[in-house]
Amino acid sequence: MNFQPNTDIFKPKWYLEQMRGWSFKTYMLLMLGIGVIIGTTISTPVNPISLITMVAAIMGFTCTLAITNAKPINGVLGLLSSIIYIIVSIYAQNYANVVLQASYIFLLDLPVLLLPAWSKNAEKHIKGLKFKQWCFTVIFFLFVTAMLYLMDTRIFISPRPWIDAIAGAIGITGSVLCTFRFREQYYFWTIQGVMSIILWGVTAFQGDANLTLFFTYILYLINDVLAFTDKHTHWFH
């Protein structure tokens, strides 16, 4: 497969095309999500961190909806939001989440931007995990969890090492499955959504972040449910 930039990302028409053809429910969820994210941000003390968190949350949430609808625009949105999430996560001392966001860049965003053929007709290449692949997936998850926990307790000191490490490992595992177009990624996205709600809820109540990401991950969880239930999405239908 040739490595070449997706030059379409520099054309405004491409973005319009990418936002078309989504399921009706995801359009409704997108509008609801943007409203919730903006409302949550302005209802709390506004500062530079809260503003960039809001921007990252809107782009990140739109990115997840684009993945659900198998639209390559997720590469651009995911790259930009992940860069901002890294800044926010460092500020909040959720260091495993920094690694998670970096993995999103390399596993989900750059392939879309540098390998146009990778995302072409992605919905036609969706497949399921077999038993042996499930075993490798579980082993990979446990290994990543252990490495992230050691990082959070030995290299950097996170106030929430177990929650941070587990949430990060689930997300990294899901992103690997997404890269190889396995539909089971959504099991991991769903669990990761729950763990991220817990992570950013605890982070907010400990005073290291605002509640914007707490509510954003609730929206992510709703999107995961849509992937299972909306017959107009390709991952399970």
Side-chain angles (χ1 to χ4, degrees):
M1 188 175 294
N2 294 326
F3 287 83
Q4 61 181 42
N6 183 358
T7 56
D8 288 340
I9 65 175
F10 300 107
K11 302 175 183 177
K13 180 181 178 181
W14 183 78
Y15 291 90
L16 293 175
E17 292 173 349
Q18 290 297 301
M19 297 302 294
R20 294 171 181 162
W22 293 22
S23 74
F24 177 77
K25 292 179 181 178
T26 50
Y27 281 129
M28 294 297 100
L29 183 56
L30 175 62
M31 289 188 288
L32 171 65
I34 292 175
V36 169
I37 292 168
I38 294 176
T40 304
T41 301
I42 64 177
S43 67
T44 58
V46 178
N47 54 52
I49 289 294
S50 67
L51 288 177
I52 66 171
T53 300
M54 180 187 72
V55 173
I58 291 174
M59 289 192 297
F61 181 55
T62 307
C63 171
T64 61
L65 291 173
I67 292 175
T68 299
N69 288 275
K71 295 293 184 178
I73 194 176
N74 75 278
V76 177
L77 297 173
L79 176 62
L80 296 176
S81 63
S82 290
I83 292 172
I84 302 176
Y85 274 143
I86 286 173
I87 298 172
V88 174
S89 297
I90 292 173
Y91 178 82
Q93 302 178 76
N94 290 332
Y95 300 109
N97 199 68
V98 173
V99 178
L100 171 61
Q101 297 302 324
S103 76
Y104 287 164
I105 292 174
F106 288 102
L107 293 173
L108 301 181
D109 305 327
L110 292 182
V112 173
L113 299 178
L114 299 178
L115 301 171
W118 181 87
S119 57
K120 186 178 181 180
N121 298 322
E123 68 276 5
K124 297 180 180 180
H125 302 284
I126 296 170
K127 52 187 178 292
L129 288 173
K130 300 185 184 302
F131 176 76
K132 186 177 181 179
Q133 293 167 326
W134 263 115
C135 292
F136 282 123
T137 300
V138 172
I139 293 171
F140 176 79
F141 163 72
L142 294 175
F143 174 77
V144 174
T145 300
M147 292 299 100
L148 292 179
Y149 179 77
L150 288 174
M151 182 193 72
D152 270 356
T153 56
R154 301 294 178 86
I155 302 176
F156 305 105
I157 305 302
S158 171
R160 300 159 288 275
W162 273 117
I163 303 175
D164 190 30
I166 294 173
I170 295 171
I172 291 172
T173 305
S175 64
V176 170
L177 295 179
C178 182
T179 299
F180 292 101
R181 302 189 184 100
F182 286 109
R183 61 172 54 90
E184 285 81 3
Q185 64 175 292
Y186 277 94
Y187 298 136
F188 287 86
W189 293 143
T190 301
I191 300 172
Q192 201 264 345
V194 174
M195 289 301 302
S196 292
I197 290 169
I198 296 172
L199 172 64
W200 288 103
V202 172
T203 301
F205 285 111
Q206 290 181 343
D208 293 323
N210 61 28
L211 285 170
T212 299
L213 289 182
F214 170 76
F215 287 107
T216 300
Y217 277 99
I218 292 178
L219 293 168
Y220 282 12
L221 188 60
I222 296 173
N223 173 62
D224 297 334
V225 173
L226 276 184
F228 292 117
T229 60
D230 189 348
K231 65 181 181 180
H232 295 100
T233 62
H234 299 285
W235 293 100
F236 290 92
H237 303 278

